[in-house]
């Protein structure tokens, strides 16, 4: 039967990660996959997480199953972090999942079960795994324009124009903060206008929030989600703990689905539980438990927040350094947006050929659409990278 399989186009982020690993040049620089790295190029375990792990080693007495939807403490602490008091908890259903990607997959299956004809609207561009999973699950999709190629800011008018075509019951997929791949984000006034339009159309928000704490701050990065949660009768959220807790391989994600009322919520909760059962049965627990411990213990939480804030401000400083270095190298402010963007990524606006030259001639790896990982920069590599970008851009 396997002879019937057709070759699968590899995800461009994973493809690049493989090429980087295979490159034997000592001066190679990885600005590809979205993994945080410190100035030494390491992805350290956060102290708060390591300390929670030590405590868990002592306290954990069983590895028996949790609930199908994961542990209640994880749901509560994550809902408090992301949603705060924007919505009554008896309207929120939960399902812990293998990573934020698992949450996206479960939400798409939930949509397919509840509303098979709904169209999912994605930003153009978006994280490449969004369309990949949407197509695989077999739901309809459309795109809305998002980035102004000239200013590298959100092309808000174009976005609103496109969203004006959304039909009642359609789902609009939004990045809660730190848009991936562009780094360009809506401000709160714009979020309000998007909400007004979607409410008028009867559309349902689906928010992917994978970088809370990497943009303007832990609370600030959740404001858009809470604005929507406070206004919409129904909403879906895929939250990831991979980046802000640095627990990538533990696969820790959560679905939060808001229903119109507690009665409807029971049905939603039942469906999410059933979807977990048929797809993977029980979700991984180790990462979820660490997150719960960190969020509910004052000492661990304070430690984690300090570390996360260091990560965030470190990336902001690197943005500034690269923008300044590019200004000096190109004698222009055309890369000034790098300092204004927020989150782990920006798209430089280089052509695929220029990106290819960066890789082959300078051993600098970024995604073909010229998305680069800010955390891949450091004080030593910024001047090298700025010079190389200016060279290929001449
Ligand atoms: C990224 O966009 O690089 C990250 O979200 C990692 C991934 O899985 O693609």
């Amino acid at each position: 039967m396997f002879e019937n399989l057709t070759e699968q186009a590899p995800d461009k982020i994973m493809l690049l990660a493989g090429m980087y690993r295979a490159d034997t040049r000592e001066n190679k620089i990885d600005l590809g996959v979205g993994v945080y790295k410190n100035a030494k190029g390491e992805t350290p375990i956060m102290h708060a997480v390591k300390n929670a792990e030590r405590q868990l080693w002592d306290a954990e007495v069983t590895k028996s199953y949790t609930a199908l939807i994961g542990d209640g403490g994880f749901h509560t602490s994550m809902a408090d972090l992301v949603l705060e008091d924007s919505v009554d908890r008896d309207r929120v259903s939960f399902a812990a999942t293998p990573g934020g990607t698992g949450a996206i997959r479960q939400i798409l299956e939930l949509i397919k079960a509840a509303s098979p004809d709904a169209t999912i609207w994605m930003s153009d561009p978006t994280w490449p795994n969004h369309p990949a999973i949407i197509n695989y699950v077999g739901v309809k999709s459309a795109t809305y324009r998002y980035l102004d190629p000239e200013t590298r800011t959100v092309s808000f008018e174009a976005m609103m124009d496109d969203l004006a075509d959304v039909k009642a019951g359609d789902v609009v997929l939004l990045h809660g903060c730190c848009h991936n791949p562009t780094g360009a984000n809506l401000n709160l006034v714009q979020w309000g206008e998007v909400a007004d339009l979607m409410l008028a159309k009867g559309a349902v928000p689906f928010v992917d929030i994978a970088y809370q704490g990497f943009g303007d701050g832990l609370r600030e990065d959740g404001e858009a989600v809470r604005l929507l949660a406070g206004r919409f009768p129904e909403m879906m959220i895929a939250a990831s703990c991979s980046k802000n807790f640095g627990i990538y391989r533990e696969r820790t994600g959560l679905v939060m689905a808001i229903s119109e009322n507690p009665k409807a919520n029971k049905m939603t909760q039942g469906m999410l539980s059933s979807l977990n059962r048929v797809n993977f049965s029980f979700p991984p627990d180790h990462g979820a438990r660490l997150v719960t411990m960190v969020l509910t213990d004052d000492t661990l939480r304070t430690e984690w927040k300090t570390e996360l804030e260091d990560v965030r401000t470190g990336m902001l400083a690197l943005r500034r350094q690269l923008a300044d270095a590019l200004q000096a190298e190109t004698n222009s402010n055309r890369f000034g947006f790098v300092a204004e963007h927020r989150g782990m990524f920006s798209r430089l606006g280089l052509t695929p050929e220029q990106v290819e030259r960066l890789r082959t001639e300078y051993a600098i790896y970024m995604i073909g659409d010229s998305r680069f990982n800010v955390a891949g920069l450091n004080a030593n590599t910024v001047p090298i990278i700025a010079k190389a970008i200016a060279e290929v851009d001449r």
Side-chain angles (χ1 to χ4, degrees), residues 287-316:
R289 205 154 288 272
L290 298 175
V291 166
T292 310
M293 291 173 74
V294 168
L295 289 177
T296 53
D297 178 284
D298 282 346
T299 311
L300 293 176
R301 190 183 173 103
T302 306
E303 192 175 24
W304 168 68
K305 279 171 72 176
T306 308
E307 289 178 89
L308 180 59
E309 190 59 9
D310 284 349
V311 164
R312 187 182 79 81
T313 51
M315 285 193 298
L316 280 182

Side-chain angles (χ1 to χ4, degrees), residues 100-294:
T101 308
I104 292 165
R105 172 65 186 261
Q106 297 301 71
I107 286 173
L108 287 167
E109 299 224 20
L110 180 72
I111 295 168
K112 193 176 180 183
S115 180
D117 289 327
T119 296
I120 321 285
W121 290 73
M122 295 175 280
S123 64
D124 177 20
T126 191
W127 184 49
N129 216 10
H130 284 153
I133 306 175
I134 284 173
N135 292 336
Y136 188 76
V137 169
V139 278
K140 282 188 261 176
S141 66
T143 57
Y144 57 89
R145 282 169 291 168
Y146 186 78
L147 187 73
D148 183 322
E150 288 307 312
T151 62
R152 319 303 294 173
T153 58
V154 178
S155 51
F156 190 62
E157 264 181 43
M159 175 179 179
M160 293 293 272
D161 268 358
D162 290 349
L163 290 182
D165 291 337
V166 165
K167 305 270 177 305
D170 280 356
V171 173
V172 180
L173 175 50
L174 298 149
H175 299 220
C177 63
C178 307
H179 186 268
N180 178 5
T182 66
N185 298 292
L186 300 172
N187 61 39
L188 272 184
V189 175
Q190 292 171 325
W191 276 105
E193 287 178 39
V194 169
D196 290 342
L197 178 63
M198 285 176 60
L199 280 165
K201 298 281 173 191
V204 187
F206 168 7
V207 177
D208 180 359
I209 180 153
Y211 297 90
Q212 189 178 356
F214 273 34
D216 289 310
L218 191 58
R219 285 208 68 199
E220 290 81 351
D221 290 349
E223 274 183 50
V225 181
R226 293 192 288 277
L227 180 149
L228 299 177
R231 294 188 61 188
F232 280 81
E234 295 183 331
M235 173 173 171
M236 293 150 295
I237 300 144
S240 168
C241 301
S242 297
K243 326 273 158 138
N244 52 6
F245 288 86
I247 50 172
Y248 305 84
R249 64 174 65 168
E250 301 297 352
R251 310 311 300 136
T252 308
L254 181 68
V255 174
M256 292 180 265
I258 301 173
S259 299
E260 191 153 16
N261 54 54
K263 187 159 170 265
N265 189 46
K266 285 212 171 75
M267 199 66 79
T268 312
Q269 186 60 82
M271 190 68 208
L272 282 176
S273 181
S274 154
L275 282 173
N276 268 16
R277 181 64 173 159
V278 294
N279 278 333
F280 46 78
S281 210
F282 296 88
D285 181 66
H286 186 71
R289 205 154 288 272
L290 298 175
V291 166
T292 310
M293 291 173 74
V294 168

